[in-house]
Amino acid sequence: MSTRKRFDVVGKPRRRVDGRSKVTGLTKFADDVVLPRMLHAKMLRSPHPHARIDAIDVSRAEQHPGVHLVLTGRDFPVSFGIMPVSQDEFPLAPERVRYVGDPVAAVIAKDEQTASEALDLIEVKYTPLQTIATPEEALAHPEARIHEYGEHGNIHRIQAYEFGDVEEALAKSDHVFEDLFFFQGNTHLPIEQHASVAAVDGEGKLTLWSSTQVPHYIHRALARALQVNAAHIRVIACPNGGGFGGKCDLHNHEIVVSRAAMRLGRPVKICLTREEVFYMHRGRHPVLMKFRTGVMNDGKITGMHLQTLLDGGGYGSYGAASTFYTGVLQPVSYELPRFKFDACRTFTNKPPCGPKRGHGTPQPRFGQEVQLDKIAEKLRIDPAELRLNMVAKPNSLTANWLRIGSIGLAECIRRVVDISGWKDKHRKLPEGRGLGLACGAYMSGAGLPIYWNKMPHSGVQLLLDRSGQVTVFCGATEIGQGSDDVLAAIVAEVLGIDAFDVRCVTGDTGLTPIDLGSYSSRVTVMMGNAAIQAAERLREVLAEAAAEHLEVSPERIVLAQGRAFLAEDPGRGISFRETVELAEAKHGTLGSVGSYSPPRAPARYKGGGVGPSPAYSYTACVVEVAVDAATGWITVPRVWIAHDIGRAINPVSVRGQVEGSVYMGLGEALMEEQVFRRLPPKLSGALVHKIPSLLEYKSLTSLDMPEVETVLIEDPDPNCPFGAKEVGQGPLLPVMPAVANAVWDAVGVRIDEVPITPDKVLRALERKAKGENPRVGPESFPAVPYPEPICVAPPWEGGDGNASKEKRKAPARKLEGMAAS
């Protein structure tokens, strides 16, 4: 009997004794094949929101039967983080914990039950530290620092930008509206929880299988955290049971099982419980917002000053980007001549927030769309007409130097107005029933990668087999959104074959070219453009071979319906398989590569790299609600939604994405919230998660889902593959404000925060009955030490995309309806 080599660390075999492996627990499958049995990991998590770790005693756990290894913070000296500017986490906390659930130790045992038993044997001594529960507390107590890095105190990120003199614009406005809004945090709630398996192969190389959206970023981060050559690591993204942004980060458990597999030479698996997923979080940031918007009598905006305050939780995660996204995309929907944007993200002793569907943009979109409804009400303008009168122009630049290409927002508005019967129902339905309208916009992929480099954002490799099979390799990750289907369809379209003849190999850093991952709705555009390039290169080779065989010039050859034939004489041709054989005989093994990088953004100021995209998608939504004035209960019977998709490569999948966004948006609008509470002093006074289970965390069921009528607006964008723009995130954005606006139409109360729960509706109705302001929402905005803004002149005020030291005066003309080609 022989055994494969086992390894303590990558690339270094363990010493053998008498030719036998020192690793126990081997399973014999044949006379010459012995494989190690799987081990299981569990992590011990902090019961304190903020504490110093004084000591950890793992001796009893190590002696527990069935335990193979116990790891602590001492085993992980290198920090990690998804963004280069926030390398602030450790796989296991070495000195301090920063939220309830922060992992401090891990047990690797023969099974989960044994590992769980051993966790109870670990003794940890803590010294509780001051807990920061809210952004207001973070600002008020800079001395109780959660991290030693950051702007100052407990401020993680603070910034200010001004594009034109906003105060001057407001002063010249006919009306100035000032409103406060709050968007409560919530979590992703994928059906599949997080899970990972790590193993070291016979060559001493590490493989991690994980439910991740970003295998390339995990690959890079593992190499740093484990101090291992990146070429000796392979990350395989398993098919995901939902991600929605929660699997975009590198997580503690992925590094822990990788280190354990390297130490033990055996596969190590971990599956998080639903409670642990709530603790790990990385979901929607709670955001407090203040809007000051100037408008003329016709409703056109003259300027906007937006201030946001984010509750970031205990670590950086994607927070630096999230902070920008609470404002930078506001100007891409409507003409906004001048724009000022202040943002601050604070650390608090809660699970870290990160990207969730729409990443940072649903919060300010909620505020802006509800405020537009208030403006329309005040000016007695139809909310749809108000928006149609100021939709941004195609092929234009925004005040903050984002380049808009195609824009189908106006048509989206017209279609939902038409199919919903808006003009016959809005402000005309019986008491308790109402319609609300809102719009949204989102990027089709971020213009810059998470780490700065000049390399492509996506790569595709094609391999042709003489059987006629086409294999396409790409690092893009299938998370249920249908990206593999899109990849096969694009390659098949270019080569003129059936998509069923295309085999996709994706999400494997050991086999596929790099793709940055499934986030920011980037996959269709970036992977698709790379696939087109690779397929077109291969098509040229095939057309040349077919032309030579048919004794014609290559430009006369058409590849379609599984054949290569003459354009003017379709009956004269050969099969695709024959074409491949001829090309292979002439050139040898057939393959090609393609890659894609987004166009350079026009902004030249620091921070201008957040927000640019090859294209923006647009959505308009009308929601009908029925509000029970006795209970405050809100029912949504119908939703009408139109999405500017550019072109629908797979209309069925596109409609599924739109309706999935409606489902998630209604949950956020009506019930979902990730909230925390203080335990009584006798129980430690800790800040704990109020509802870390599916029993208490409420989301819509299939019975709650309304009838949804979806319209796809196709206006192909030249920057996108076959004109196709994003659909995975944008349709979510207008749903929440449309619900809020519908509640106003139904019962005449404003709920300026989400979720819009029955108790809030009842409070607003009580105030209405007393003759008070019929509103529930935030009442004040704290004093935030925003810095002096970086001033960038808009394109129509002589700007060049660079920051200027002084505000430029606008030319002597009206500050409305401005756009730059």
Side-chain angles (χ1 to χ4, degrees):
M1 182 180 71
S2 62
T3 60
R4 302 185 75 183
K5 295 179 181 178
R6 304 267 41 96
F7 296 83
D8 271 326
V9 294
V10 171
K12 296 182 180 181
R14 302 185 70 178
R15 282 185 288 176
R16 295 168 179 265
V17 178
D18 298 328
R20 299 177 64 85
S21 169
K22 291 183 67 177
V23 177
T24 60
L26 299 180
T27 300
K28 184 175 180 181
F29 287 94
D31 289 342
D32 61 346
V33 178
V34 177
L35 298 176
R37 286 196 294 266
M38 183 87 71
L39 298 177
H40 296 264
K42 296 291 288 184
M43 295 197 294
L44 181 68
R45 298 179 179 274
S46 167
H48 301 284
H50 197 197
R52 184 176 65 247
I53 301 173
D54 296 324
I56 300 181
D57 185 354
V58 300
S59 57
R60 293 173 61 213
E62 290 176 325
Q63 296 168 9
H64 188 65
V67 170
H68 290 255
L69 181 67
V70 179
L71 296 170
T72 65
R74 293 179 302 175
D75 298 291
F76 299 95
V78 180
S79 63
F80 73 93
I82 192 65
M83 302 194 75
V85 296
S86 299
Q87 301 288 310
D88 58 359
E89 295 189 64
F90 287 89
L92 298 173
E95 298 175 350
R96 187 153 45 136
V97 292
R98 294 175 171 87
Y99 65 93
V100 171
D102 211 352
V104 297
V107 172
I108 293 82
K110 65 179 183 178
D111 53 42
E112 281 191 328
Q113 180 64 36
T114 302
S116 296
E117 293 169 355
L119 291 182
D120 294 335
L121 302 177
I122 298 175
E123 297 181 7
V124 185
K125 293 182 179 179
Y126 298 98
T127 297
L129 302 174
Q130 182 176 345
T131 299
I132 303 298
T134 65
E136 290 80 4
E137 287 186 14
L139 295 172
H141 298 284
E143 73 286 352
R145 299 198 70 173
I146 295 174
H147 288 280
E148 295 306 315
Y149 83 103
E151 301 289 347
H152 52 82
N154 286 304
I155 294 176
H156 174 217
R157 175 87 191 184
I158 192 166
Q159 60 202 37
Y161 292 88
E162 186 166 17
F163 306 93
D165 192 332
V166 171
E167 288 302 321
E168 180 184 73
L170 296 180
K172 293 183 177 180
S173 302
D174 293 328
H175 307 271
V176 176
F177 291 80
E178 182 171 316
D179 291 284
L180 298 178
F181 301 96
F182 178 66
F183 200 111
Q184 181 59 274
N186 48 66
T187 197
H188 313 86
L189 219 64
I191 293 298
E192 178 202 42
Q193 293 142 220
H194 295 250
S196 298
V197 176
V200 176
D201 65 19
E203 295 180 335
K205 295 178 180 178
L206 174 68
T207 299
L208 175 72
W209 294 263
S210 193
S211 53
T212 179
Q213 298 175 231
V214 286
H216 171 62
Y217 289 142
I218 300 296
H219 185 217
R220 283 176 52 85
L222 276 179
R224 183 184 186 278
L226 299 174
Q227 296 291 282
V228 172
N229 187 334
H232 299 161
I233 297 175
R234 178 184 181 187
V235 177
I236 300 173
C238 303
N240 276 211
F244 313 116
K247 297 170 183 175
C248 282
D249 217 327
L250 173 65
H251 298 295
N252 311 70
H253 64 273
E254 292 167 316
I255 306 174
V256 167
V257 295
S258 296
R259 173 69 77 194
M262 291 163 57
R263 288 274 184 91
L264 297 170
R266 293 176 63 172
V268 179
K269 179 179 181 178
I270 188 167
C271 295
L272 300 192
T273 65
R274 179 65 63 179
E275 183 177 359
E276 288 180 299
V277 174
F278 274 102
Y279 290 144
M280 193 174 64
H281 192 39
R282 318 297 161 128
R284 185 88 71 214
H285 283 75
V287 181
L288 179 65
M289 296 160 282
K290 180 179 180 180
F291 282 80
R292 291 177 65 226
T293 304
V295 298
M296 305 306 289
N297 285 326
D298 61 1
K300 286 190 175 182
I301 298 174
T302 59
M304 177 188 291
H305 184 189
L306 168 60
Q307 295 177 299
T308 64
L309 179 61
L310 294 77
D311 185 340
Y315 291 98
S317 184
Y318 280 85
S322 308
T323 308
F324 275 99
Y325 284 133
T326 59
V328 295
L329 295 189
Q330 298 309 102
V332 302
S333 300
Y334 311 113
E335 290 182 332
L336 183 54
R338 292 182 177 178
F339 179 49
K340 186 177 182 182
F341 170 45
D342 305 328
C344 175
R345 183 183 192 263
T346 64
F347 288 122
T348 58
N349 292 120
K350 302 174 185 175
C353 297
K356 185 189 174 186
R357 204 172 196 168
H359 192 187
T361 64
Q363 298 95 319
R365 178 60 55 182
F366 173 80
Q368 183 177 15
E369 293 294 321
V370 174
Q371 188 182 59
L372 286 177
D373 207 62
K374 294 181 180 184
I375 292 171
E377 187 75 20
K378 176 73 173 179
L379 301 182
R380 299 185 179 278
I381 300 175
D382 182 282
E385 295 300 325
L386 177 85
R387 291 168 171 83
L388 284 170
N389 195 35
M390 58 182 181
V391 168
K393 300 295 189 294
N395 304 311
S396 63
L397 291 175
T398 66
N400 58 337
W401 290 86
L402 300 180
R403 187 180 302 281
I404 298 173
S406 64
I407 172 170
L409 179 56
E411 183 62 19
C412 288
I413 296 172
R414 294 188 189 101
R415 291 300 300 275
V416 295
V417 165
D418 179 51
I419 63 176
S420 67
W422 172 266
K423 294 186 183 298
D424 297 326
K425 297 177 182 177
H426 183 244
R427 298 176 180 157
K428 299 174 183 177
L429 293 176
E431 181 73 15
R433 293 180 57 206
L435 258 62
L437 181 145
C439 300
Y442 198 65
M443 62 180 66
S444 296
L448 291 178
I450 288 175
Y451 65 97
W452 173 253
N453 67 85
K454 296 182 179 180
M455 294 177 283
H457 290 211
S458 184
V460 168
Q461 182 176 10
L462 298 182
L463 175 66
L464 260 66
D465 184 84
R466 61 191 66 175
S467 67
Q469 174 183 280
V470 179
T471 304
V472 53
F473 299 88
C474 182
T477 309
E478 173 63 70
I479 58 172
Q481 85 281 37
S483 60
D484 281 4
D485 178 78
V486 168
L487 180 59
I490 287 175
V491 172
E493 178 69 20
V494 175
L495 297 180
I497 60 177
D498 194 296
F500 193 65
D501 295 329
V502 180
R503 184 185 301 275
C504 294
V505 179
T506 55
D508 185 336
T509 65
L511 296 178
T512 62
I514 286 173
D515 179 272
L516 297 183
S518 293
Y519 66 94
S520 294
S521 284
R522 57 175 300 284
V523 176
T524 292
V525 173
M526 301 195 184
M527 172 196 74
N529 279 326
I532 287 175
Q533 185 183 81
E536 287 180 340
R537 288 172 174 172
L538 207 50
R539 184 176 62 184
E540 291 181 7
V541 174
L542 296 173
E544 179 186 346
E548 185 175 304
H549 177 75
L550 297 173
E551 298 181 339
V552 297
S553 60
E555 59 269 15
R556 296 173 62 188
I557 297 295
V558 174
L559 270 68
Q561 298 179 339
R563 299 176 64 243
F565 54 86
L566 270 64
E568 69 275 16
D569 184 8
R572 187 181 172 197
I574 57 177
S575 70
F576 181 79
R577 178 174 178 174
E578 291 174 300
T579 305
V580 173
E581 290 175 346
L582 291 170
E584 186 176 345
K586 181 176 181 179
H587 298 288
T589 301
L590 299 176
S592 66
V593 296
S595 58
Y596 176 76
S597 295
R600 187 182 179 189
R604 298 291 178 266
Y605 59 90
K606 183 178 180 181
V610 183
S613 177
Y616 299 94
S617 74
Y618 296 87
T619 313
C621 177
V622 171
V623 172
E624 180 182 348
V625 302
V627 181
D628 187 331
T631 63
W633 190 260
I634 301 170
T635 303
V636 180
R638 293 284 297 273
V639 173
W640 299 268
I641 187 165
H643 181 68
D644 168 23
I645 182 62
R647 174 167 292 172
I649 292 177
N650 184 326
V652 174
S653 291
V654 169
R655 290 177 185 276
Q657 286 291 311
V658 173
E659 292 174 13
S661 288
V662 170
Y663 166 82
M664 186 170 283
L666 289 175
E668 295 193 30
L670 298 173
M671 59 190 71
E672 293 192 39
E673 54 182 341
Q674 173 127 325
V675 292
F676 298 79
R677 62 188 175 90
R678 291 276 194 180
L679 291 177
K682 65 179 181 179
L683 295 178
S684 79
L687 182 71
V688 298
H689 201 302
K690 188 176 180 180
I691 43 178
S693 82
L694 290 181
L695 292 175
E696 294 89 8
Y697 186 94
K698 302 304 180 186
S699 65
L700 263 65
T701 69
S702 58
L703 296 178
D704 301 312
M705 190 64 181
E707 182 180 344
V708 179
E709 186 169 348
T710 301
V711 175
L712 302 181
I713 305 301
E714 294 193 286
D715 178 17
D717 192 289
N719 282 335
C720 302
F722 302 112
K725 299 197 283 190
E726 78 86 31
V727 68
Q729 304 188 60
L732 168 85
L733 272 64
V735 176
M736 294 78 76
V739 171
N741 293 338
V743 170
W744 166 259
D745 189 44
V747 291
V749 300
R750 288 287 181 190
I751 312 299
D752 287 345
E753 62 183 44
V754 293
I756 304 169
T757 52
D759 61 302
K760 296 174 185 177
V761 174
L762 289 177
R763 290 209 311 270
L765 287 171
E766 289 173 3
R767 292 173 183 176
K768 180 182 178 182
K770 295 177 181 178
E772 301 173 354
N773 184 11
R775 173 188 178 273
V776 169
E779 299 293 339
S780 62
F781 196 92
V784 181
Y786 295 114
E788 284 296 311
I790 295 174
C791 295
V792 183
W796 44 84
E797 293 185 16
D800 59 4
N802 289 293
S804 57
K805 294 183 179 179
E806 298 180 359
K807 297 179 183 179
R808 300 190 187 189
K809 293 295 182 181
R813 56 192 174 110
K814 285 187 176 182
L815 295 169
E816 57 182 85
M818 299 181 182
S821 298

